[in-house]
Amino acid sequence: MTDQATQAEGTLPGKPTSASRTTLSHIMTANETNLLGTVHGGVIMKLVDDAAGAVAGRHSGGPAVTASMDEMVFLEPVRVGDLVHVKAQVNWTGRSSMEVGVRVLAERWNESTPATQVGSAYLVFAAVGETGKPRAVPPVIPETGRDKRRYQEAQIRRTHRLARRRAIKELRERRAAEGLLED
């Protein structure tokens, strides 16, 4: 579909996955350690959110806020002196929301060994306007086979998020109807 046809239908022209893909790199210091002497998971989560936010803002062409973080997985500990690379890209888009996939890699700052994947996460961002209300985002256009797979997997995660939210709401309504109010 051409950009003109897309605009005529009232939607924004699509953007390829590569248009907003980014990498954020950071050397871990002693200030970022937990009681076990490794980098605190919250520090890694902040880097993940920062990189994902940059990607969401680039893709949507303006402000985007974190709506949820799914499946933050820590595969290996990160140590002081590790150079951490946080790679993020838009996997899927809705009307005003975007799923951003993030991979976290680490390598020793003073060695020439390959980086190891130490974590991954999926975040959902909502694009917002000046008043904080949702605004439309361009569709993402997957470019590679990997991008297409990520797009399809993101659709599955979205379906599961919506089903989980609906099931919890129904349970709470049922309990309230039965008079089982909670503190």
Side-chain angles (χ1 to χ4, degrees):
M1 186 179 319
T2 67
D3 286 352
Q4 289 177 336
T6 303
Q7 289 171 341
E9 291 176 11
T11 60
L12 299 170
K15 285 187 177 179
T17 305
S18 61
S20 57
R21 189 178 288 141
T22 194
T23 300
L24 172 69
S25 297
H26 185 77
I27 294 178
M28 296 293 120
T29 66
N31 292 336
E32 297 155 328
T33 59
N34 58 27
L35 296 174
L36 298 175
T38 56
V39 173
H40 194 289
V43 170
I44 301 299
M45 291 172 77
K46 168 106 172 58
L47 293 173
V48 164
D49 190 47
D50 287 347
V55 166
R58 279 182 175 184
H59 183 82
S60 69
V65 296
T66 311
S68 70
M69 179 183 272
D70 286 354
E71 300 179 38
M72 180 72 218
V73 178
F74 297 99
L75 303 169
E76 299 282 337
V78 177
R79 303 171 294 163
V80 171
D82 280 354
L83 177 57
V84 172
H85 308 285
V86 183
K87 297 177 175 283
Q89 75 172 46
V90 173
N91 290 336
W92 174 90
T93 53
R95 283 187 302 267
S96 62
S97 63
M98 301 157 275
E99 183 195 90
V100 178
V102 181
R103 285 187 317 129
V104 183
L105 306 160
E107 62 182 303
R108 295 306 294 167
W109 69 273
N110 60 346
E111 297 174 8
S112 59
T113 55
T116 303
Q117 185 170 350
V118 296
S120 65
Y122 300 101
L123 295 88
V124 176
F125 278 79
V128 294
E130 291 179 14
T131 62
K133 301 283 186 205
R135 61 181 175 79
V137 299
V140 67
I141 302 169
E143 298 172 279
T144 67
R146 178 182 279 181
D147 292 342
K148 290 173 185 167
R149 175 186 53 80
R150 288 178 176 169
Y151 184 90
Q152 292 170 329
E153 290 172 356
Q155 289 177 306
I156 293 168
R157 281 187 292 276
R158 180 177 187 274
T159 299
H160 286 227
R161 276 191 298 272
L162 294 174
R164 182 177 60 234
R165 189 178 307 149
R166 190 170 37 254
I168 290 170
K169 181 181 177 194
E170 289 170 4
L171 173 66
R172 288 178 179 173
E173 289 171 352
R174 212 171 30 252
R175 290 181 58 81
E178 294 170 1
L180 301 172
L181 302 176
E182 298 159 2
D183 297 337

